[in-house]
Amino acid sequence: MKHLNAKYLIKIANEVGWECDVKKEGKEYLVTFSMYTPKGQDVELEFTNKYLMCIWQDVRDYWENYNPDEEAIMWYGRNNGEPSSLRELLDDMEYVEKKLEELYMKLWLD
């Protein structure tokens, strides 16, 4: 992994379809990743870490614990802009899982 600074983190996140915002708050970094799914859901993830170089670990942990089935069940029928079809919602959540993996791999390998 190359030396990870805010500009480079934003660049590599953008390469795999994520918007990225990095803020320094005191002694910690607040990193926000966001994107829209094919069905228009707004996905936003926030991570706080003392070391910007360790954000990849936070993304990895989130990805490893992400469960598309549980996410679909949690959001189904809420009428907050998510797809009304359970199949479409599950497909969208599986898309998020794929994009999380891509982000983690890009952070880890670059």
Side-chain angles (χ1 to χ4, degrees):
M1 178 186 303
K2 298 176 185 171
H3 179 68
L4 191 60
N5 60 41
K7 186 176 178 179
Y8 187 64
L9 177 60
I10 292 167
K11 176 187 176 293
I12 61 177
N14 291 168
E15 287 176 5
V16 291
W18 289 87
E19 294 295 319
C20 181
D21 183 55
V22 180
K23 293 181 180 153
K24 180 86 169 170
E25 294 186 350
K27 294 183 178 185
E28 295 185 318
Y29 289 94
L30 174 63
V31 179
T32 305
F33 295 103
S34 59
M35 68 160 188
Y36 286 97
T37 66
K39 296 298 179 183
Q41 291 189 80
D42 183 16
V43 178
E44 185 172 289
L45 312 170
E46 286 189 351
F47 301 103
T48 303
N49 202 306
K50 188 174 181 178
Y51 303 103
L52 196 55
M53 290 287 297
C54 296
I55 290 297
W56 69 270
Q57 294 169 325
D58 297 327
V59 173
R60 179 201 59 207
D61 293 346
Y62 191 89
W63 166 59
E64 286 178 343
N65 291 299
Y66 184 85
N67 184 316
D69 296 332
E70 288 177 6
E71 289 290 321
I73 289 168
M74 182 175 67
W75 286 102
Y76 185 65
R78 287 197 174 184
N79 299 321
N80 289 328
E82 71 279 348
S84 59
S85 159
L86 184 55
R87 176 76 262 159
E88 287 180 353
L89 182 58
L90 183 55
D91 289 346
D92 234 23
M93 296 306 179
E94 288 173 345
Y95 176 83
V96 172
E97 182 180 42
K98 177 180 159 248
K99 296 305 284 182
L100 284 166
E101 180 182 12
E102 288 176 5
L103 179 60
Y104 160 64
M105 295 303 289
K106 187 71 172 171
L107 290 169
W108 173 245
L109 296 174
D110 268 18

